[in-house]
Amino acid sequence: MTEQLHLGLHPVRSERAQDFERFLADVVVPAVRAQRPDLDGRWRMMRSSEPSDDVVTYVFMLEGGSLADDWELGVLLPAHYGEEEAGRLFQAWAETFAPLDAWAEAAVSAGREDNQLVWTMEPVALD
């Protein structure tokens, strides 16, 4: 049996997309490499080629492991940066997200006629 692939979809306000990616490159990548080197290279990220309603959709592909035990940033970041700094970093990152309900409704509405959701994605390089 092959390992599971976890997919995470994140709607990000298009004007904050660079901040979203900077958080991942400057905060998450170093923490993963230091705290969980076994996860390094087991995740990829892609983003929608074009914003839709001023939202860029990001897709995370996490290979194997458990979402709660292995991929939980709420455990990984405090271990690396300390509770207070991790909280500050998370707060700044959370401000990049677009409202989930409006994004989900727009995505469902766009795909309703064909009974599917489709995005054209491009890879994101964080290194």
Side-chain angles (χ1 to χ4, degrees):
M1 181 175 157
T2 60
E3 288 191 279
Q4 292 179 322
L5 177 66
H6 308 284
L7 294 177
L9 300 172
H10 295 276
V12 174
R13 296 182 300 157
S14 59
E15 74 273 8
R16 298 293 307 273
Q18 286 183 328
D19 297 327
F20 180 85
E21 291 180 23
R22 190 174 312 110
F23 171 84
L24 295 166
D26 295 348
V27 175
V28 174
V29 168
V32 168
R33 288 182 177 155
Q35 299 296 316
R36 290 297 306 269
D38 59 305
L39 299 179
D40 194 27
R42 291 179 47 200
W43 64 287
R44 291 188 326 147
M45 181 176 66
M46 299 188 81
R47 69 174 163 242
S48 54
S49 297
E50 297 291 327
S52 176
D53 294 329
D54 295 322
V55 174
V56 176
T57 299
Y58 285 85
V59 176
F60 287 83
M61 292 163 275
L62 313 171
E63 298 174 10
S66 161
L67 290 176
D69 297 329
D70 298 305
W71 297 106
E72 177 56 53
L73 291 181
V75 173
L76 182 69
L77 295 187
H80 190 68
Y81 296 103
E83 291 287 335
E84 188 174 320
E85 180 64 4
R88 187 190 68 74
L89 292 166
F90 268 127
Q91 180 60 40
W93 191 47
E95 293 170 0
T96 68
F97 289 98
L100 185 61
D101 289 342
W103 169 81
E105 181 56 39
V108 168
S109 294
R112 190 165 277 126
E113 186 174 311
D114 296 326
N115 202 35
Q116 62 184 338
L117 302 178
V118 177
W119 286 281
T120 300
M121 309 301 284
E122 57 189 32
V124 177
L126 297 175
D127 292 50

